[in-house]
Amino acid sequence: MKSYTLIAPAKINLHLEIIGIRPDNYHQLVMIMQTVDLADRVELKSLNTDDIILHCGHPDVPLDRTNLAYRAAELMQQEFPDAFAKYGGVEITLHKHIPIAAGLAGGSGNAAAVLVGIDLLWELGITQASLQELGAKLGSDVPFCISGGTAIATGRGELISPLPSLEGIYAVLGKYHSLEVSTPWAYTTYRHEFEHEYAQEPATLFDRSQGVHSGNLVKAIVEGDAVKIGGLLYNDLEKVVLPAYPLVSQLRTEFQRHPNLGTMMSGSGPTVFSLASSRSQAEQLYHQVRAAITDPDLELFVTQFCDQGVRVV
Ligand code: C5P
């Protein structure tokens, strides 16, 4: 039986701006996303039955269709019935290293890996753009997780424009193991508090979403200027998550007390990250935060920016 092993990396948001609401009740976003080298490993094996079987050793990861990786396999089965009939079902094993419900797109990355892996298992030869279109049916972050690197994401987050690679920059990530933030909660709460500020006119929404291309953060990325990038980090969801989760706010303050290039929450949180210009600065920051917060529930990771999303090993 054929098998593939894929690496599914985490992402952080260098910029997350909510500009309006869409007819489908999702938010219109302008984001700049960055892949980091903290990653899950996803193994895929063809089965000679028509089952989809999911394994994962993590106690909090569901093994049924509530898991996006399972739904990714189901979607491929629906979209390519002839290949499914020819090649059979699939056994998926997730080796989790990315914290769950963390704002790091771990679940979306697993689903992205399943799409890429089944394309290979079933010898479909689907283009990356078409895989991303399929990914958008599963979740807003899945298309970015397929291509990865550094990119602007607009629309729901599914429209991706690649930016030049930022390899060489480091990010230290911090997350309390037992603390999770629900993404729907974060967006719904934001809407309650800030809907009056949303852009209404389609032309204004379009201008705001296109404006990012000529904005200062994109300029800094094109110049590869890590110091400027660190000074321009932005996330609208901090406005609702930090007041509701004092531990996240305290962790962010602790990161900021030590030398680094800039600190922000990723996605809907609760992961907080700081950028560093070298591995030694990142490791120093890791030890400083670890020494200041002795709570064993706090997980810290030294990661490096990388220039691609899901890859086969
Ligand atoms: O697309 P995905 O299923 O990952 O989104 C999770 C939740 O985040 C949605 O159900 C919605 O509440 C919120 N969301 C949003 N607007 C977006 C993306 C996500 O409101 N553009």
Side-chain angles (χ1 to χ4, degrees):
M1 280 288 146
K2 262 191 163 179
S3 66
Y4 283 97
T5 300
L6 299 106
I7 300 297
K11 64 86 188 156
I12 56 174
N13 297 83
L14 304 179
H15 182 93
L16 190 164
E17 191 184 345
I18 298 172
I19 57 177
I21 196 80
R22 299 155 47 100
D24 61 8
N25 267 332
Y26 274 77
H27 286 86
Q28 192 80 25
L29 304 177
V30 178
M31 301 191 285
I32 298 181
M33 319 272 262
Q34 174 63 54
T35 305
V36 294
D37 65 358
L38 172 66
D40 293 340
R41 203 155 52 85
V42 180
E43 290 169 16
L44 288 179
K45 210 158 62 177
S46 278
L47 291 173
N48 46 22
T49 63
D50 60 2
D51 298 307
I52 296 168
I53 300 174
L54 185 57
H55 305 284
C56 182
H58 193 300
D60 301 333
V61 172
L63 302 176
D64 56 16
R65 68 180 311 280
T66 58
N67 190 313
L68 214 52
Y70 187 101
R71 288 217 295 282
E74 239 178 20
L75 178 67
M76 292 300 272
Q77 183 187 329
Q78 285 154 13
E79 295 279 333
F80 304 99
D82 295 344
F84 176 55
K86 179 173 169 193
Y87 291 94
V90 62
E91 185 175 6
I92 306 163
T93 308
L94 305 177
H95 300 274
K96 295 295 293 179
H97 301 286
I98 305 171
I100 61 169
L104 298 173
S108 301
N110 295 166
V114 170
L115 296 181
V116 172
I118 292 182
D119 173 44
L120 293 168
L121 273 181
W122 294 356
E123 303 178 282
L124 295 166
I126 308 172
T127 61
Q128 187 175 78
S130 301
L131 276 177
Q132 288 178 309
E133 262 175 50
L134 286 173
K137 296 185 184 184
L138 295 165
S140 309
D141 285 342
V142 179
F144 171 75
C145 291
I146 292 174
S147 48
T150 310
I152 297 171
T154 53
R156 274 197 299 136
E158 87 286 17
L159 304 174
I160 308 300
S161 307
L163 288 169
S165 160
L166 287 177
E167 275 185 299
I169 300 180
Y170 287 78
V172 182
L173 317 184
K175 183 196 177 271
Y176 284 97
H177 178 77
S178 53
L179 187 64
E180 294 178 3
V181 172
S182 147
T183 302
W185 170 85
Y187 278 101
T188 308
T189 308
Y190 189 91
R191 186 174 178 180
H192 278 308
E193 290 186 31
F194 297 101
E195 190 166 14
H196 61 280
E197 294 177 6
Y198 287 2
Q200 303 292 344
E201 298 302 318
T204 317
L205 282 167
F206 181 77
D207 289 348
R208 292 265 310 267
S209 108
Q210 291 308 298
V212 68
H213 291 264
S214 52
N216 289 335
L217 181 53
V218 168
K219 269 189 211 138
I221 290 170
V222 170
E223 289 162 10
D225 188 332
V227 174
K228 270 196 203 155
I229 293 168
L232 291 166
L233 301 173
Y234 183 81
N235 185 347
D236 267 332
L237 289 174
E238 283 199 337
K239 294 178 201 163
V240 291
V241 177
L242 296 184
Y245 292 88
L247 267 182
V248 182
S249 184
Q250 285 156 22
L251 178 60
R252 191 186 189 288
T253 305
E254 188 55 45
F255 268 105
Q256 284 178 304
R257 285 185 52 236
H258 308 286
N260 69 74
L261 303 180
T263 300
M264 194 55 49
M265 187 181 79
S266 181
S268 54
T271 301
V272 165
F273 67 90
S274 282
L275 302 188
S277 54
S278 65
R279 178 166 288 278
S280 62
Q281 188 186 41
E283 283 173 354
Q284 195 181 358
L285 179 60
Y286 172 99
H287 290 298
Q288 285 162 329
V289 176
R290 176 60 75 213
I293 304 180
T294 51
D295 185 344
D297 197 44
L298 177 64
E299 294 181 315
L300 292 168
F301 306 89
V302 171
T303 69
Q304 193 174 358
F305 282 16
C306 47
D307 68 357
Q308 65 170 311
V310 169
R311 66 178 205 278
V312 184
V313 286

